[in-house]
Amino acid sequence: MPRETKYVVKGGRVIDPANGIDRITEVYIDGQIIERVGGKKNFQGRQIIDATGMLVFPGLVDIHTHLREPGNEDAETIDSGANAAIRGGVTTICCMPNTNPPVDSASDVRYIYDRAQEAPCWVYPIAAISKGLKGEELSEMGDLAYAGAVAFSDDGRPVSNSQLLRNALAYADMLGLKLTLHCEDLQLTNEGSMHEGTVSGLSGIPAIPGISEAVMITRDLLIAEFLGVPVHICHVSAKESVHSIRAAKARGVSVTAEATPHHLILDDEKILDSGFDTNFKVNPPIRSREDIEALREALADGTIDAIATDHAPHSPHTKDKDFINAPFGIIGLETSASLIYSELVRKKVIDEVRMVELMSANPAKIFDLPAGALTQGAFADITIFDPEKKWTVDANQFASLSRNTPFAGWELTGKPVLTMVAGEIVYNETGE
Ligand code: DOR
Ligand code: ZN
Ligand code: ZN
């Protein structure tokens, strides 16, 4: 379909928190852009997309995705990751720099934009804080920003050197960008493989306590507070971390934080039940019921601002090891919206509007991305979500090249059924 097509999406419940919209109305699309939401009904000369009974919201924005290109294209390419995204209703992804080689030079950033040109959704690179992600020397942050990096991160590892972090926070702020921090005290992590709790105690698997994360988050927030600069915290998993972030927000620290669907839904008992399936192995680890409850409260009260997938593909043979030796990582792009809808919205932990805020409006705001709202003149990035559609997670059906999901076989209710990126329908399972 050429992009000059004029569409009207009619009959759906349009949820656009950035513009305060939540009602049944029409969305008019002209070519690549949003013409208007609501107003006088006029369907003439338009392709009609009937969204009766559906939720219609700005395309989801995932600010924490791992693509494996360059270096490990067996696990994921930029294109396969983008295809996974659109099947999950995600229209914008920000990819982490821990590729091989890592994204720590301007030419690496440009390479991603080049490769992403053919991809079916928007792909924005996050660049390395430190050269080679080694945590020793700052990358050329100015060059990286100029080349189009949307944020900086050493994700996969913490920035252990406090002085390096201080300088990185200060430079990033001068460049108008944020750091997005993987927080972990490596001494407390102590080469653990799962959460330190009852299940690790029973199994004898070396464990990572919640305070490994919280100690580092607290340090990072103190440094950001001292400098008076904003900072974003990746994949919050522990109740101690929630307390630290909540307290920082209360004293006015400019912090935003994300949580993943897996940390919001799974607890370590599930790992036991699975017989230590390595698809549950992730860093930070799947924690306890208490941690989940703390994260859910934090979603509802605004301590956590966004949901991000931390989509971390690993090819099947690399996960085919015992729990201690398998790599950390869970894929999430194709299940994220459905999991949040099934497990949190339908169970009344959050409502639909908050879901869209957490998965689209807020993440776009955090990195100042041109997304997350159905504003007149914005790119027409739209997700149509069927709240009644029942489906079973089958990793073999994924567009992702990897299969490492702990949710295989889960029966979910609610699914993205049509995804539009810049006025083009890039995914459609409505049958129309
Ligand atoms: O589970 C994880 N996987 N945690 C990380 O920090 C890195 C990621 C990856 O790149 O596989
Ligand atoms: Zn991480
Ligand atoms: Zn990550």
Side-chain angles (χ1 to χ4, degrees), residues 64 66 155 310:
H64 191 149
H66 295 267
D155 183 50
D310 197 5

mmCIF file of all heavy atoms in Angstrom, residues 64 66 155 310, ligand 3:
data_model
loop_
_atom_site.group_PDB
_atom_site.id
_atom_site.type_symbol
_atom_site.label_atom_id
_atom_site.label_comp_id
_atom_site.label_asym_id
_atom_site.label_seq_id
_atom_site.Cartn_x
_atom_site.Cartn_y
_atom_site.Cartn_z
ATOM 1 N N HIS A 64 14.337 -0.421 25.571
ATOM 2 C CA HIS A 64 15.400 -1.340 25.988
ATOM 3 C C HIS A 64 15.306 -2.654 25.202
ATOM 4 O O HIS A 64 14.653 -3.607 25.631
ATOM 5 C CB HIS A 64 15.300 -1.595 27.502
ATOM 6 C CG HIS A 64 16.491 -2.297 28.069
ATOM 7 N ND1 HIS A 64 16.919 -2.086 29.358
ATOM 8 C CD2 HIS A 64 17.346 -3.207 27.539
ATOM 9 C CE1 HIS A 64 17.978 -2.834 29.591
ATOM 10 N NE2 HIS A 64 18.253 -3.533 28.506
ATOM 11 N N HIS A 66 17.678 -5.485 22.816
ATOM 12 C CA HIS A 66 18.981 -5.924 22.305
ATOM 13 C C HIS A 66 18.777 -6.542 20.930
ATOM 14 O O HIS A 66 17.997 -7.490 20.777
ATOM 15 C CB HIS A 66 19.612 -6.970 23.232
ATOM 16 C CG HIS A 66 19.950 -6.423 24.589
ATOM 17 N ND1 HIS A 66 21.188 -5.914 24.899
ATOM 18 C CD2 HIS A 66 19.208 -6.289 25.709
ATOM 19 C CE1 HIS A 66 21.197 -5.496 26.157
ATOM 20 N NE2 HIS A 66 19.998 -5.712 26.678
ATOM 21 N N ASP A 155 24.823 -1.120 29.183
ATOM 22 C CA ASP A 155 23.938 -2.215 29.606
ATOM 23 C C ASP A 155 24.537 -3.590 29.318
ATOM 24 O O ASP A 155 25.144 -3.818 28.277
ATOM 25 C CB ASP A 155 22.570 -2.102 28.947
ATOM 26 C CG ASP A 155 21.641 -3.193 29.445
ATOM 27 O OD1 ASP A 155 21.527 -3.360 30.674
ATOM 28 O OD2 ASP A 155 21.071 -3.920 28.609
ATOM 29 N N ASP A 310 13.602 -5.296 27.608
ATOM 30 C CA ASP A 310 14.939 -5.896 27.715
ATOM 31 C C ASP A 310 15.017 -7.171 26.855
ATOM 32 O O ASP A 310 15.609 -8.184 27.253
ATOM 33 C CB ASP A 310 15.334 -6.191 29.169
ATOM 34 C CG ASP A 310 16.850 -6.408 29.316
ATOM 35 O OD1 ASP A 310 17.584 -6.240 28.320
ATOM 36 O OD2 ASP A 310 17.286 -6.752 30.429
HETATM 37 ZN ZN ZN B 3 19.483 -5.135 28.574
#
